[in-house]
Amino acid sequence: MFEIPKLKHTDSGNFFLMAGPCAIEGEEIAMQIAERLKTLTDSLQIPLIFKGSYRKANRSRLDSFTGIGDEKALRILQKVSREFDVPTVTDIHETTEAAMAAEYVDVLQIPAFLCRQTDLLVAAANTGKVVNIKKGQFLSGAAMRFAVEKIHESGNAKVILTDRGNSFGYSDLVVDFRNLPEMKALGAPVVMDVTHSLQQPNQSSGVTGGKPALIETIAKAAIAVGADGLFIETHPQPSIAKSDGANMLPLDQLEDLLRKLIRIRQAVL
């Protein structure tokens, strides 16, 4: 894989992990989660990219939590990177956000619903940062070829592709694991977004549901079919998280899961 600044343990043979809270809720909780993730992944020799959305743009309701302020949240991500010596990733939603966010993080993420937005992809590519593109819930893995080409043709070869399931009816998602080898054939590292693939969107309450009991199942299957990395949102108390609490993994359950996944990784290499 291409070099990502501050990414450690890349020679361990393990998958890499994108993990953190759904949204940056405040400095104290972000630092608490980052410290635990850093300690855990160092002990297991898992490359870590800390994730957190500085702003949540895709919300069901107008009164849903969207963030604590762009610059404030981005500065927290920057502090996490400096204090724990780890790369960070956050998602962008408009072209004007690319250069702004690139000043603070190492990886720019394109949300699944926006993966076909040419101007957004080009703006992210032009920053020179690694670009993580989430596969749209409406696309096959093979169709992500065109998103990759947009980044490459903009002069940036640093692309990661992430699957987060496909729409299944109006209020559910299903994971088609054929998408992982299809995207891997495009020459990019491939990640399985475990927690978002277990969302139950479009609920009548206006609050997205989820099936966190299946996190282990999806993660194990992804590693077994060759995922290079996993994307897992985690929080000490998902029930009080300000975003996506219904499908996050409790932070104290992460170590046991990672140990199981390492054994699977070793078995399939």
Side-chain angles (χ1 to χ4, degrees):
M1 190 172 78
F2 43 79
E3 183 178 349
I4 298 177
K6 299 185 180 182
L7 192 63
K8 307 293 193 302
H9 311 302
T10 53
D11 59 351
S12 66
N14 284 329
F15 51 90
F16 66 92
L17 179 67
M18 290 183 174
C22 177
I24 298 300
E25 303 175 1
E27 182 174 321
E28 183 178 355
I29 187 65
M31 299 300 283
Q32 176 188 345
I33 295 170
E35 182 177 22
R36 177 56 183 150
L37 289 174
K38 172 68 171 174
T39 300
L40 177 56
T41 54
D42 276 353
S43 69
L44 298 176
Q45 293 194 307
I46 294 174
L48 171 67
I49 302 173
F50 181 84
K51 70 83 44 186
S53 296
Y54 74 90
R55 188 201 311 163
K56 300 302 295 182
N58 178 16
R59 303 286 83 191
S60 296
R61 299 186 339 201
L62 188 60
D63 62 352
S64 297
F65 174 80
T66 58
I68 60 173
D70 292 356
E71 185 174 0
K72 183 177 181 180
L74 286 167
R75 288 192 182 280
I76 290 171
L77 284 165
Q78 186 179 60
K79 183 174 182 178
V80 166
S81 181
R82 289 174 174 172
E83 292 213 5
F84 298 106
D85 196 30
V86 295
T88 54
V89 57
T90 198
D91 40 322
I92 59 173
H93 318 91
E94 300 179 17
T95 57
T96 55
E97 297 177 37
M100 175 185 70
E103 293 184 15
Y104 297 91
V105 301
D106 304 284
V107 182
L108 298 178
Q109 183 168 284
I110 308 298
F113 282 133
L114 301 178
C115 70
R116 286 171 50 93
Q117 297 299 104
T118 300
D119 288 350
L120 182 61
L121 290 168
V122 171
N126 286 342
T127 67
K129 297 288 185 175
V130 178
V131 182
N132 178 35
I133 312 173
K134 287 198 174 182
K135 183 188 73 62
Q137 299 92 323
F138 44 86
L139 290 176
S140 70
M144 291 300 289
R145 163 194 161 194
F146 304 105
V148 173
E149 288 177 352
K150 290 174 184 178
I151 303 297
H152 286 176
E153 290 171 11
S154 299
N156 188 337
K158 298 177 288 188
V159 186
I160 298 171
L161 295 176
T162 296
D163 190 9
R164 47 97 17 102
N166 282 79
S167 295
F168 187 72
Y170 291 113
S171 301
D172 207 355
L173 296 167
V174 65
V175 178
D176 180 354
F177 285 100
R178 295 176 298 180
N179 286 321
L180 297 184
E182 284 183 359
M183 292 195 296
K184 207 163 185 178
L186 301 175
V190 172
V191 174
M192 183 72 233
D193 182 344
V194 179
T195 46
H196 282 114
S197 69
L198 291 168
Q199 284 182 331
Q200 292 180 301
N202 305 318
Q203 299 297 306
S204 58
S205 64
V207 179
T208 298
K211 298 180 179 179
L214 292 175
I215 288 173
E216 183 172 320
T217 299
I218 298 298
K220 284 179 174 178
I223 294 299
V225 300
D228 300 294
L230 296 176
F231 182 109
I232 297 176
E233 290 189 337
T234 185
H235 193 283
Q237 294 180 273
S239 62
I240 63 171
K242 294 183 181 297
S243 178
D244 279 1
N247 50 271
M248 275 202 275
L249 181 72
L251 187 57
D252 62 5
Q253 295 180 20
L254 183 59
E255 180 175 2
D256 180 63
L257 174 61
L258 292 177
R259 289 186 181 279
K260 292 176 182 177
L261 297 175
I262 288 172
R263 292 197 294 272
I264 295 173
R265 173 79 167 186
Q266 292 169 343
V268 299
L269 282 179

